[in-house]
DNA sequence: TATATACGGTACTGTTGAGTTTCGGATATA
DNA sequence: TATATCCGAAACTCAACAGTACCGTATATA
């Protein structure tokens, strides 16, 4: 096979994510596969990915981080590319619980209530992971889609929901372009972290809400 | 020397950008260095960078693209890392001429007048270059600063200037957060190109102006 | 025209890292 | 307890690529 410096998922196998469903079916003799190693390895892959990026990441680094043998990784994934793909696809950390979103009665209250230190920290880690993948997204739509689903879409979804609710109760005009406005914060936060290399903190997020989002929704700035 | 998969600019030399000033001083015998090769090589480096990213880019690719020998590149730059750094630092393509910015009398008119197909195309190429560098910016502040100066800051500067002018003539409120608002378009365009992998066109840019920027400045949406 | 030197091209070296193989030890099943 | 097999570790192969060395040619200067 030719050079594979970059990811090649053109003929991907089922993927670990899909295989998580079928548990047993292996009734021979001897020892079963240790299923507890999978998440440890995938977590290690995400950590290394965040620290070094895809190209800087080596299989040995991931194996060492997970205290696993390199052969163990290759017994489970056919290549580095597939390992990374599954690591992204299986990323469930920091998932937002849509059942208990804030409901303060005002859009500003809801948006501000979404700002929590653990959420910020989780977001920054996800963006560092994304930074290591950006250069590959162009050539691998599969990966781009998985990264979107796991990293960026959840945040946008929350904003869309909170804004739609504000629109339904008449707080903001029905002319507001929710689709676009829901991406303002994710976009500007990504830009700030990935390109400007500046930190994300509560002050910055609040300034985005008060200087951009709310005014764009036709709400006057009501700072405390 | 140890591994250098990634850029190491800890003890960079003067850099080609700084050397552009002194022309002659070489009065020996024989042939002088062919100065016309430099821009060709740097342009080739930018092209390859945009297509493959830093790690995917090889010196042979750049040499072939510039129709130059590999040795010629190493006669001018001590390493791949320095070549890339200078390619970014010397990037002057698509520089905005601040002397003749649009002045239509309204902020919307000025912002819309900035939308031109060549400008869009140039912006997308610059962002593709940026995509290939993102994973390195974290570890190399020098490069991050050069990339900012060459790629993102010029756009933000124009927006700041147009908005400041609108503020001075009383079109928008003095409370507007120009620093933040000037980054809305660059951020959202970057996000759309780098992460969402969607194209930039006139419609999208106008929707950003009408749905986000102008409302956030307190101006009612006045679509045609 | 004569000469020194920069050029493009190619062959080389050394290192890095993906993926494979091997092996002794651990462990769940029988 | 016996055994099949999965584990971690380490040694291995092989290809790619950064960087170097060298060669015949082109060309600007003297």
């Amino acid at each position: 096979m030719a050079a594979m410096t970059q990811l090649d998922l053109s003929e991907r196998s089922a993927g670990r994510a899909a295989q998580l469903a079928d548990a047993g079916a292996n009734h021979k003799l001897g020892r079963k596969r240790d299923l507890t190693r999978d998440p440890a390895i995938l977590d290690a892959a995400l950590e290394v990915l965040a620290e070094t990026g895809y190209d800087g990441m080596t299989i040995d680094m991931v194996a060492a981080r997970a205290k696993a043998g390199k052969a163990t990784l290759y017994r489970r994934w056919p290549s580095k590319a597939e390992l990374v793909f599954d690591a992204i696809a299986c990323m469930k950390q920091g998932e937002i619980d849509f059942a208990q979103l804030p409901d303060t009665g005002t859009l500003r209250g809801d948006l501000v209530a979404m700002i929590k230190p653990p959420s910020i920290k989780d977001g920054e880690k996800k963006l560092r992971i994304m930074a290591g993948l950006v250069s590959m997204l162009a050539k691998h739509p599969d990966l781009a889609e998985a990264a979107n689903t796991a990293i960026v879409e959840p945040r946008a979804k929350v904003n869309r929901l909170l804004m739609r609710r504000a629109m339904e109760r008449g707080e903001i005009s029905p002319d507001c372009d929710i689709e676009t406005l829901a991406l303002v914060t994710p976009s500007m936060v990504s830009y700030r972290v990935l390109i400007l290399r500046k930190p994300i903190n509560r002050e910055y997020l609040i300034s985005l809400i008060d200087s951009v989002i709310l005014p764009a929704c036709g709400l006057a700035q009501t700072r405390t």
Side-chain angles (χ1 to χ4, degrees), chain A residues 201-224:
Chain A
N201 50 36
R202 186 180 174 82
E203 287 75 24
Y204 179 69
L205 294 172
I206 295 223
S207 84
L208 283 185
I209 293 171
D210 285 329
S211 301
V212 186
I213 306 287
L214 295 182
C217 288
L219 296 172
Q221 298 180 27
T222 48
R223 299 197 186 139
T224 38

Side-chain angles (χ1 to χ4, degrees), chain A residues 111-171:
Chain A
L111 292 175
V112 170
M114 287 300 297
I115 306 175
K116 289 171 219 153
S119 169
I120 294 176
K121 208 182 152 200
D122 174 70
E124 281 193 318
K125 188 191 170 185
K126 283 186 174 174
L127 282 179
R128 266 180 271 121
I129 293 171
M130 183 62 95
L133 296 177
V134 167
S135 63
M136 324 197 52
L137 300 186
K139 291 171 190 165
H140 305 285
D142 287 7
L143 184 64
E145 199 186 314
N148 259 310
T149 304
I151 300 181
V152 308
E153 189 51 32
R155 303 278 170 154
K157 196 179 289 182
V158 168
N159 291 337
R160 268 196 291 269
L161 203 145
L162 297 181
M163 287 178 167
R164 205 170 296 136
R165 239 165 40 184
M167 190 179 280
E168 280 165 8
R169 68 177 169 251
E171 187 182 358

